[in-house]
Amino acid sequence: MIDFTFNYMRQELEEQKRLHKKYRKARRRLEKYQGKQLNVSIKKGKPYYYVRRKGMPDVYLGGDENPIVQRIREVRFCDEMLASLESNIEWMECFLESYRAVSLDQVMKRMPKHYCPNHIGAELDLEESDDAKKRYEEMKAHKDTIPDIYPEQLNITAFDGTLVRSRAEALIYIRLWQAGFYVIYEYPIEYERGKFVRSDFLLIHSLTGRIFLWEHLGLWFDSLRQTNYRSEFNYKMDQYGQMGFVPGINLLTSYEVQTGFDMEAIAVDIDNLYNRKDMHSLDTLERKQKEYFKDPRLLIAI
């Protein structure tokens, strides 16, 4: 089991608290606009706004440039931001408070001496696979030879320095490592010469060496972008199926819904994946991958 300190999580908690303080201060400056709602009327493709007043006629404000329109928008944004930050802070504090390190040495220290085994590891089949680690290193080196897509969007730094695209992905990334997986972010799986499909996370089980893919669908329920987002993902699913990656078996997904990001539920799914019993279907899919890929170890088709 790979064990990491949670300095990153603590740093992220402090950053969330700093942002909460910042937006709470901004929210106080906008107090008089609290509770005001906008009505919009579109004329010749241009929006015009009215402010709602309970039991009274709406008051016309004008277009986007109107300062009251801008302040009402800012209040709504601050409210949404504060709600998200408060949810994150609550989860992180709970996580850090309840976390117990699971390295062999630390667990042994917590046990009564007369229950501690003389030797631990091989007898319980807990030794990490040398081949799994070697494959991880080979795949990581291969990834480094291929440019990232949209590198300007890689602006969140995970605990080990890996750049990801969102804070949710950074939290999932550290949790996958903590569960015991070797993790590669956006590994380029080549399905045709020079053409790649990139899963959010490629996982290598540290004991069995099994390969899994994990997709975090952060915009799946985004009303503004879900159509194109879902279409692009469905195309990826077609590619995955041809390669031998099947949802629920060796391809896992997580989501962000309108009520927020449920990291606790995702953590349970991660642990279940790592600890679940081997399935015959995984052998079948691995045989399919060996037939599909010219280099099945690096997942290169050509």
Side-chain angles (χ1 to χ4, degrees), residues 50-68:
Y50 299 78
V51 64
R52 291 180 182 177
R53 298 187 301 170
K54 188 174 181 179
M56 301 177 65
D58 291 352
V59 175
Y60 176 69
L61 298 176
D64 287 321
E65 69 282 355
N66 183 279
I68 297 178

Side-chain angles (χ1 to χ4, degrees), residues 6 80 103 109 114 119 129 146 150 160 193 233 237 281:
F6 272 62
E80 293 292 332
S103 72
K109 288 178 181 178
H114 55 278
H119 303 284
S129 165
I146 299 171
Y150 306 116
D160 62 352
R193 186 178 297 277
F233 180 72
M237 289 291 287
S281 54

Side-chain angles (χ1 to χ4, degrees), residues 48-94:
Y48 294 90
Y49 297 93
Y50 299 78
V51 64
R52 291 180 182 177
R53 298 187 301 170
K54 188 174 181 179
M56 301 177 65
D58 291 352
V59 175
Y60 176 69
L61 298 176
D64 287 321
E65 69 282 355
N66 183 279
I68 297 178
V69 172
Q70 295 175 18
R71 298 296 87 77
I72 294 173
R73 286 173 171 174
E74 290 168 2
V75 166
R76 181 62 178 269
F77 178 79
C78 286
D79 287 344
E80 293 292 332
M81 180 64 76
L82 287 169
S84 297
L85 290 168
E86 286 164 5
S87 175
N88 288 347
I89 290 169
E90 180 182 3
W91 178 84
M92 289 180 184
E93 288 179 336
C94 179

Side-chain angles (χ1 to χ4, degrees), residues 167-208:
R167 295 189 182 278
E169 287 184 335
L171 292 172
I172 294 172
Y173 181 77
I174 189 174
R175 190 62 182 81
L176 288 165
W177 272 105
Q178 192 273 331
F181 290 105
Y182 292 104
V183 188
I184 303 178
Y185 182 72
E186 291 192 351
Y187 181 81
I189 304 173
E190 188 169 10
Y191 62 92
E192 291 182 20
R193 186 178 297 277
K195 294 184 178 181
F196 306 94
V197 60
R198 292 169 168 84
S199 171
D200 290 331
F201 307 101
L202 181 141
L203 317 177
I204 305 175
H205 198 291
S206 59
L207 303 182
T208 67

